[in-house]
Amino acid sequence: MKNTLIHLTSSPYSSIACKEGLDLALVLATFEQKVDLCLSDAALSLLTKHQQPEPEQGKNLHKLLDGLEFYDIENVFIESSSLAPDPATQWPGITSLDSAAWSELFSSYQQVFRF
Amino acid sequence: MQHTLLVTGSPYQSKACHSALCFARAALTAQPDSIKGVFFYEDAVLIGNDLAQPPRDEINLKQAWQTLASEFNLPLYLCIAAAVRRGVINETESKRYELNHHSLSSGFQLEGLGTFVELMNSTQKIIQFR
């Protein structure tokens, strides 16, 4: 079994890349592969609470986050500089890493896929 | 060492399918069993649309992949969920959705992400083209 990091960088609302990245993560986990997630750039908006997108804006992917633990996806990393100024507005299941740990993150997996 | 290629970039909005083709051709020419399979995901599945007709003075990328696949017996997989969503449909799916047409090119096959997991676990390295 290999350990995999899925790095989401795309906005959940500008394309379906973010959704298809999450889909891959869920399938890997379903096949009992070790998978972690990390988010940066526009994908960080996935973490914002109380999203209510209309159908034409896309699916509410934020809702998937609470289900990750049922797939044994336990780690969702962001860089500490990406923490929201008000933590109450951000999904609480994230682990923040300082910039050194964030840089090392990408070399600690056998494979990294970006979406 | 055997590789799996994961191609995710659109054939129209990126050079992912072009770069992956060049890489695959070079790798297979050097060592014919160096790539176990190519898995197309996200917009890259559009490569398998048989109805797309590029202008005659441009490269026919789909045909180039088909030629390479046939020359080296290389499996070309399209993620079934990503493909069906984008209208790249084989005969079975066409019947399932009660459609009059199907659009999957020969040389490509629709497979679930489970096939990608199997490729991932049976090859030493995966290279993503996005």
Side-chain angles (χ1 to χ4, degrees):
Chain A
M1 187 176 40
K2 295 180 175 173
N3 58 353
T4 302
L5 179 68
I6 298 207
H7 182 190
L8 302 178
T9 63
S10 312
S11 159
Y13 298 116
S14 65
S15 73
I16 59 168
C18 199
K19 182 189 182 305
E20 293 189 316
L22 283 168
D23 284 346
L24 178 60
L26 298 182
V27 170
L28 287 170
T30 303
F31 283 87
E32 296 179 346
Q33 306 296 303
K34 177 92 184 75
V35 57
D36 290 340
L37 289 168
C38 74
L39 283 72
S40 69
D41 306 282
L44 289 164
S45 61
L46 185 66
L47 302 172
T48 306
K49 285 183 181 173
H50 310 305
Q51 301 189 35
Q52 291 177 311
E54 298 293 328
E56 59 271 22
Q57 292 168 322
K59 284 183 83 169
N60 188 348
L61 298 176
H62 178 83
K63 282 203 223 165
L64 279 178
L65 296 175
D66 285 332
L68 292 176
E69 61 175 315
F70 301 113
Y71 289 84
D72 292 327
I73 299 176
E74 289 161 358
N75 295 313
V76 179
F77 299 110
I78 66 166
E79 197 174 0
S80 50
S81 58
S82 303
L83 283 167
D86 176 3
T89 62
Q90 206 163 32
W91 184 66
I94 43 175
T95 304
S96 67
L97 303 174
D98 64 30
S99 61
W102 175 260
S103 303
E104 282 168 20
L105 182 70
F106 298 95
S107 48
S108 56
Y109 292 84
Q110 281 160 298
Q111 53 221 4
V112 179
F113 302 125
R114 288 200 171 80
F115 291 90
Chain B
M1 181 186 280
Q2 247 194 335
H3 297 77
T4 294
L5 304 191
L6 171 66
V7 189
T8 55
S10 158
Y12 309 112
Q13 307 290 332
S14 79
K15 286 289 176 192
C17 293
H18 306 67
S19 304
L21 176 73
C22 294
F23 178 88
R25 191 185 285 134
L28 292 167
T29 304
Q31 195 183 323
D33 63 347
S34 56
I35 298 177
K36 189 170 179 189
V38 183
F39 198 92
F40 295 88
Y41 189 41
E42 292 195 83
D43 277 359
V45 298
L46 293 170
I47 194 74
N49 178 3
D50 204 36
L51 303 178
Q53 299 301 320
R56 288 189 179 186
D57 59 349
E58 290 181 20
I59 181 177
N60 187 327
L61 206 52
K62 172 190 66 191
Q63 217 168 61
W65 273 108
Q66 286 169 322
T67 305
L68 187 76
S70 132
E71 191 180 342
F72 291 96
N73 201 19
L74 175 70
L76 304 176
Y77 304 107
L78 307 185
C79 169
I80 187 165
V84 167
R85 162 197 281 280
R86 291 168 174 86
V88 181
I89 302 218
N90 63 10
E91 223 172 322
T92 313
E93 294 305 304
S94 173
K95 281 182 190 147
R96 187 202 307 275
Y97 290 97
E98 299 177 3
L99 302 172
N100 295 322
H101 309 285
H102 48 91
S103 56
L104 180 69
S105 290
S106 61
F108 295 87
Q109 45 191 309
L110 301 187
E111 287 283 342
L113 282 168
T115 298
F116 175 66
V117 178
E118 195 275 327
L119 281 171
M120 199 175 91
N121 284 330
S122 58
T123 52
Q124 284 73 49
K125 201 181 253 291
I126 299 175
I127 305 172
Q128 181 181 11
F129 293 83
R130 62 194 292 266

